[in-house]
Amino acid sequence: MTKVFNVAKVREDFPILKREVNGKTLVYLDNGATAQKPQTVIDALTKYYTHENSNIHRGVHTLSQEATSAYELTREKIQGFINAPEKESVIFTKGTTDGINLLAFSLGRDFVQEGDEIIISAMEHHSNIVPWQMLCEQKKAVLKVAPINQRGEIILEEYKKLLNPKTKLVSIVHISNTLGTINPIQEMIAMAHEVGAKFIVDAAQSAPHLKIDVQALDCDFMVFSMHKVFGPTGVGFLYGKKELLEVIPPYQGGGDMIKTVTFEKTTYNELPHKFEAGTPNIAAGIATSAAIDYMNQLDWNAVHLHEKELLDYATAQLKLIDGLRIIGEAKEKASVISFVIDGVHPYDVGVIIDKMGIAVRTGHHCTQPLMDWFKIPGTIRASFAFYNTKEEVDLLVVALKRALQMLR
Ligand code: 7TS
């Protein structure tokens, strides 16, 4: 059966898209911050608390066994979603930030020593900067930053120059949350491997937009958050090559991550449980299955075409606005558009268009060094999902023009 992509029909699956904000139908263009949830995900959360609530990985009773099976089924679905070779390589986390902190701690302990180097890029989210700064400070290691060009693309020749035998880790965003740039990570991973460095992919923004294949990319680690992939908050995933996850130490100690405990010595559980201490967000973990099922029934070729059309249309329409400048014009770009407008502050624009029902994000988008690089205080950002429409782009443009009349 061919899968069809019908945006009007898809919108029916997301109840929040029908609500009004300030007397106007919501136009939700803040998908980079978090995506809306289909009814099936909302139902799965309710069903868990209504019928299934119990702790996992410990009970002999029926409810606990059912919850454990449902939770572990999600792991298998994520394995399929990112094409991981085995399910033990898929670790539940709280989200992208949690995954990067886990790696900074667990990889950092033995793998990074004084004088070693870690490479990030100029367009990283704070959560892919600060944990590495903290590690470098502790270990007296050196953080290097791969520069970008005016279009907002990493300059590969400069990245290459940074790589050397002292480079232990490279941690790079797949799609920039601020610029929309799709980085050539497959190439960057191969280059890092040539000097023996391990590569971490921050897939927070790519998981909702691109088909992810960790084996084809050959990344050593990948992190993402489910709340940006039409799933619940409070759950995310870390993928790691099994041989690496086997040798690095656990992140947090506690229940579930142990095999045996005495006061003298503790032995750790096998993968993936070694990295999953304590009771997790079980409801969100289980409801993640519904989000993955939802993603899997979409025709992704059609989704890509639709998102590309939205990006091209919105870019063209926005450029017609007097004094508007787009920040981030990479050749390879996802449906995220940041812009500034002469003479007005992004925040003021955001507040006024909210009154017209339009949700965008304004500010630095947790990429302050990137804002400094562009010498701007912040941007207005419209980030689209597959359920957005050209009509919503038109509403954004009308709202911006009205805001400018009021502010100028
Ligand atoms: N990395 C990238 C590229 C992101 O876009 C974000 C969140 C994170 C990491 C952190 O993810 P979390 O789920 O752990 O918070 N980005 C955004 C954003 O663009 N607007 O709000 C959050």
Side-chain angles (χ1 to χ4, degrees):
M1 200 180 79
T2 45
K3 298 173 180 172
V4 243
F5 183 75
N6 174 339
V7 70
K9 193 159 167 292
V10 162
R11 289 178 71 83
E12 289 293 312
D13 299 330
F14 293 80
I16 206 168
L17 298 180
K18 292 194 190 81
R19 76 158 274 186
E20 293 196 343
V21 170
N22 297 320
K24 302 277 191 293
T25 306
L26 168 68
V27 174
Y28 188 75
L29 303 178
D30 195 18
N31 296 284
T34 198
Q36 298 303 346
K37 322 302 172 199
Q39 187 66 51
T40 48
V41 169
I42 301 164
D43 288 347
L45 287 167
T46 314
K47 181 167 166 263
Y48 169 75
Y49 283 122
T50 314
H51 295 286
E52 297 160 353
N53 178 49
S54 85
N55 213 326
I56 52 169
H57 299 143
R58 58 197 78 193
V60 292
H61 62 80
T62 303
L63 284 190
S64 175
Q65 286 179 13
E66 283 177 8
T68 303
S69 302
Y71 194 78
E72 288 301 320
L73 180 63
T74 293
R75 197 189 306 275
E76 284 170 33
K77 289 195 177 171
I78 295 294
Q79 181 197 347
F81 183 64
I82 60 172
N83 194 30
E86 62 277 302
K87 64 177 195 288
E88 292 75 20
S89 301
V90 175
I91 313 291
F92 278 87
T93 64
K94 288 189 285 184
T96 310
T97 305
D98 192 36
I100 297 172
N101 278 278
L102 184 160
L103 289 172
F105 180 89
S106 295
L107 273 169
R109 202 188 74 175
D110 303 325
F111 191 69
V112 176
Q113 304 300 342
E114 185 170 342
D116 285 345
E117 296 177 4
I118 297 172
I119 300 178
I120 57 172
S121 84
M123 64 173 85
E124 299 308 318
H125 187 279
H126 294 165
S127 66
N128 198 28
I129 301 173
V130 185
W132 304 120
Q133 277 176 334
M134 290 159 73
L135 175 65
C136 285
E137 199 179 339
Q138 187 195 12
K139 288 296 183 99
K140 299 194 174 64
V142 186
L143 191 65
K144 301 259 166 149
V145 181
I148 56 173
N149 61 25
Q150 274 299 332
R151 288 194 300 272
E153 298 163 319
I154 294 174
I155 306 167
L156 284 186
E157 307 81 71
E158 296 297 323
Y159 165 66
K160 191 165 187 191
K161 282 188 209 153
L162 293 179
L163 290 163
N164 71 77
K166 279 194 267 175
T167 314
K168 281 288 146 70
L169 292 172
V170 181
S171 191
I172 302 282
V173 71
H174 195 176
I175 294 182
S176 159
N177 64 316
T178 303
L179 307 171
T181 310
I182 304 175
N183 287 317
I185 50 163
Q186 191 157 357
E187 207 178 330
M188 295 179 76
I189 291 166
M191 287 159 82
H193 284 166
E194 272 173 34
V195 296
K198 303 295 179 217
F199 201 104
I200 300 160
V201 179
D202 174 352
Q205 298 292 338
S206 54
H209 292 291
L210 301 180
K211 190 95 204 82
I212 303 285
D213 184 336
V214 290
Q215 293 187 72
L217 289 173
D218 195 28
C219 57
D220 299 290
F221 301 96
M222 175 179 280
V223 289
F224 59 97
S225 306
M226 275 316 294
H227 71 93
K228 295 187 202 280
V229 197
F230 315 98
T233 48
V235 68
F237 293 92
L238 159 69
Y239 157 79
K241 282 185 179 162
K242 198 173 167 199
E243 64 272 22
L244 297 172
L245 292 175
E246 298 272 17
V247 295
I248 62 176
Y251 178 38
Q252 294 181 320
D256 245 20
M257 54 72 74
I258 56 91
K259 204 176 264 168
T260 60
V261 179
T262 66
F263 286 120
E264 289 71 38
K265 182 163 176 61
T266 290
T267 56
Y268 303 133
N269 207 339
E270 281 149 18
L271 290 176
H273 307 292
K274 177 173 125 181
F275 291 103
E276 296 178 354
T279 301
N281 191 336
I282 303 170
I286 290 175
T288 289
S289 273
I292 297 300
D293 290 345
Y294 191 86
M295 297 286 277
N296 286 343
Q297 54 88 44
L298 292 171
D299 173 352
W300 275 88
N301 288 329
V303 167
H304 289 147
L305 278 175
H306 176 69
E307 290 190 353
K308 176 85 176 67
E309 233 177 84
L310 282 176
L311 174 69
D312 291 347
Y313 182 68
T315 305
Q317 294 303 308
L318 288 169
K319 277 186 171 170
L320 296 175
I321 294 176
D322 185 34
L324 185 146
R325 181 161 60 101
I326 290 182
I327 304 294
E329 297 195 277
K331 286 192 203 102
E332 296 295 327
K333 195 172 161 176
S335 53
V336 176
I337 309 180
S338 264
F339 54 91
V340 290
I341 312 177
D342 286 346
V344 295
H345 196 281
Y347 176 83
D348 296 335
V349 176
V351 170
I352 292 176
I353 68 173
D354 172 59
K355 298 276 179 284
M356 304 171 208
I358 315 245
V360 292
R361 186 171 169 190
T362 64
H364 54 62
H365 316 292
C366 301
T367 53
Q368 276 183 12
L370 183 64
M371 298 293 97
D372 292 345
W373 191 88
F374 277 103
K375 299 190 172 57
I376 50 177
T379 74
I380 304 160
R381 181 188 69 178
S383 50
F384 300 92
F386 52 70
Y387 44 62
N388 289 124
T389 64
K390 281 187 176 175
E391 291 72 33
E392 289 181 312
V393 173
D394 292 338
L395 289 169
L396 169 68
V397 170
V398 169
L400 286 171
K401 286 182 178 161
R402 281 181 57 192
L404 290 180
Q405 278 167 4
M406 291 161 79
L407 288 167
R408 273 176 173 163

